[in-house]
Amino acid sequence: MISERFFGMGEPLIQREGDTGVMAAEYLELVKALGCTAYRSWMHLTEVLKDPYTPNEEIAAAHRRLLERAAELDLEVTGMSHEWFLPEGCKQRTGHAMPERDLREGSLYMQALHMLEDSWYTMVSLFPQVSIWEIGNEWNLNAFLHPDGFLDSDMSHPFTADEKMDIAIDMMYFAARGVRRANPEAKVTCFSMALSTPWLGGDLPEYLPPVYGIAWTLDKMYRKITSGQFWSADPDDYFDLLSWHSYQMSTNQNEKDKDLFLNIFEPDHLWKDYNDAAYRVMCKYGDKDKQVLLTEVGFTDCGDEEREKRTAEYTRKLLTIAKELPYVRTLYNFRLLTEEGMLKKAGIEDNQIGGLAEVYFGFFEEPWNDCRPRKKAYVLQELTGSRADLAAVGKKVAATRKSR
């Protein structure tokens, strides 16, 4: 039976508020019009908080307004942060970096873990209405978990795949403690895993399609936790739900990372098995009853009209398959809006991770284009059963910008 929260949407709306001039809460009207019942919100610790103990009141108030509107629209919220604070003595003070793993009390590493727990306690205390917290993002990739100072170096010495996983397990344990101290009713989902190809910092064998890296990474995580060599051998002490990014990727291992989103085939039994393989890992370690969030799923068309038509039908096929996966609680479509505004602001076309491909995942255009629904928006609406006039809702949302 499909979950009542199956259809979700992800977008960093607080950040987009500054880019587009439309209040974040207004954009939730688009989410509701699509028929979605869940929303994934970017809520970075280092933006909402000034330090692990002190809220940034202005930013916190903006998130609170967004969450209050989500509650009015009956949208379940998953809050996600993939940045954190680092202690004095590190080269950085915030970011995706960690000191070298050193479990001696008082080390920079242990200070960072305690700061992470305290940060999550402060964050969750601010927003008791958030029911699910996603405590990390793509920590199996170098871009999102790397040594302190890595980005200011020649980046030739990242953490190994095993080192990243050891650190990720530590971080999940301390983050979960902070969340649960603040709100025992809130659910914690593990860091969202992505493909684990060697050129991104993983160790998936090159003969396997990239998205099997999720199952590969998940097995490594469970194997280490249950070894008894970490803080607890019980996965429940680290997370209540599982999450991963279930994109349809190219199976061509010779393509560069950004091309993996483009050189793709229609989703079929192979896409289903990417996910089933990860669930089989959960079953292997006794977690068959845990629910899964597919925290990012979507297609880009790079602004090409023919590709837009094709990927709209890919969206239909993928969502139809996903509805039959009994372990999936929510699939968060990535993402609500295109990002042409950021391109115009930067004046270049390659300012995003993934370049132009990153810009055209959106279901709607920006407000200066009347938040025009794109082809896959109508596909999603058809699947949810919503009868809203998407174009009219888009114009209404866009008009709030013009009146500012």
Side-chain angles (χ1 to χ4, degrees), residues 176-388:
R177 287 206 316 190
V179 173
R180 290 164 176 168
R181 274 201 296 127
N183 183 1
E185 300 302 314
K187 300 298 182 184
V188 176
T189 187
C190 72
F191 79 90
S192 286
M193 297 167 202
L195 71 164
S196 191
T197 51
W199 63 88
L200 293 176
D203 57 356
L204 180 73
E206 293 188 357
Y207 54 79
L208 290 176
V211 185
Y212 276 115
I214 293 167
W216 180 271
T217 303
L218 198 59
D219 186 71
K220 179 180 293 187
M221 181 184 78
Y222 272 110
R223 187 169 65 249
K224 286 177 178 285
I225 288 174
T226 58
S227 71
Q229 297 178 6
F230 287 80
W231 307 94
S232 167
D234 186 350
D236 290 353
D237 290 331
Y238 299 83
F239 46 80
D240 302 298
L241 304 96
L242 280 296
S243 55
W244 56 78
H245 293 344
S246 189
Y247 291 102
Q248 170 77 343
M249 294 285 189
S250 168
T251 56
N252 186 345
Q253 292 287 64
N254 295 319
E255 297 286 349
K256 294 180 181 179
D257 174 38
K258 65 180 180 180
D259 295 326
L260 288 172
F261 290 112
L262 301 178
N263 184 21
I264 60 174
F265 298 105
E266 183 177 354
D268 58 11
H269 65 280
L270 182 59
W271 182 84
K272 178 179 182 296
D273 197 59
Y274 292 152
N275 295 281
D276 284 349
Y279 181 65
R280 290 194 292 269
V281 173
M282 293 168 57
C283 295
K284 171 183 173 182
Y285 291 96
D287 266 352
K288 66 180 179 64
D289 293 328
K290 278 195 169 84
Q291 294 181 306
V292 172
L293 307 178
L294 302 183
T295 35
E296 287 185 19
V297 183
F299 299 94
T300 181
D301 53 64
C302 289
D304 178 85
E305 187 174 350
E306 286 305 311
R307 185 181 277 131
E308 183 187 353
K309 292 178 184 177
R310 186 165 66 251
T311 55
E313 291 308 308
Y314 286 3
T315 299
R316 184 192 308 279
K317 183 71 175 290
L318 186 148
L319 292 175
T320 300
I321 296 171
K323 285 195 301 180
E324 302 303 316
L325 303 180
Y327 48 86
V328 175
R329 174 188 175 83
T330 308
L331 183 150
Y332 288 99
N333 292 279
F334 185 87
R335 53 195 299 177
L336 185 66
L337 303 168
T338 57
E339 289 225 51
E340 291 171 324
M342 285 189 173
L343 295 181
K344 292 176 183 177
K345 184 178 179 181
I348 55 176
E349 286 197 349
D350 201 32
N351 69 310
Q352 293 287 293
I353 298 171
L356 194 61
E358 184 80 7
V359 176
Y360 288 98
F361 282 93
F363 281 69
F364 292 88
E365 294 186 10
E366 285 89 348
W368 41 85
N369 291 326
D370 286 333
C371 293
R372 182 183 69 84
R374 307 184 78 227
K375 291 179 175 58
K376 59 186 171 183
Y378 292 106
V379 168
L380 177 55
Q381 181 187 38
E382 181 182 330
L383 292 171
T384 66
S386 167
R387 295 184 177 275

Side-chain angles (χ1 to χ4, degrees), residues 85-91 98-100 102 104-115 148:
F85 296 98
L86 293 171
E88 211 171 314
C90 290
K91 298 182 180 71
M98 283 292 283
E100 295 288 334
D102 179 355
R104 293 174 297 178
E105 195 55 48
S107 69
L108 287 176
Y109 184 77
M110 289 305 302
Q111 289 180 53
L113 290 179
H114 289 304
M115 289 172 71
D148 178 32

Side-chain angles (χ1 to χ4, degrees), residues 152-180:
D152 293 326
S153 69
D154 62 5
M155 295 189 286
S156 61
H157 294 90
F159 291 130
T160 67
D162 277 311
E163 287 171 338
K164 284 196 291 291
M165 183 53 70
D166 289 348
I167 294 168
I169 290 171
D170 293 340
M171 292 176 71
M172 283 192 294
Y173 182 79
F174 279 82
R177 287 206 316 190
V179 173
R180 290 164 176 168

Side-chain angles (χ1 to χ4, degrees), residues 45-46 48-56 85 115 118-119 122:
L45 295 169
T46 55
V48 179
L49 309 179
K50 295 180 179 179
D51 59 53
Y53 316 99
T54 311
N56 182 322
F85 296 98
M115 289 172 71
D118 290 342
S119 297
T122 305

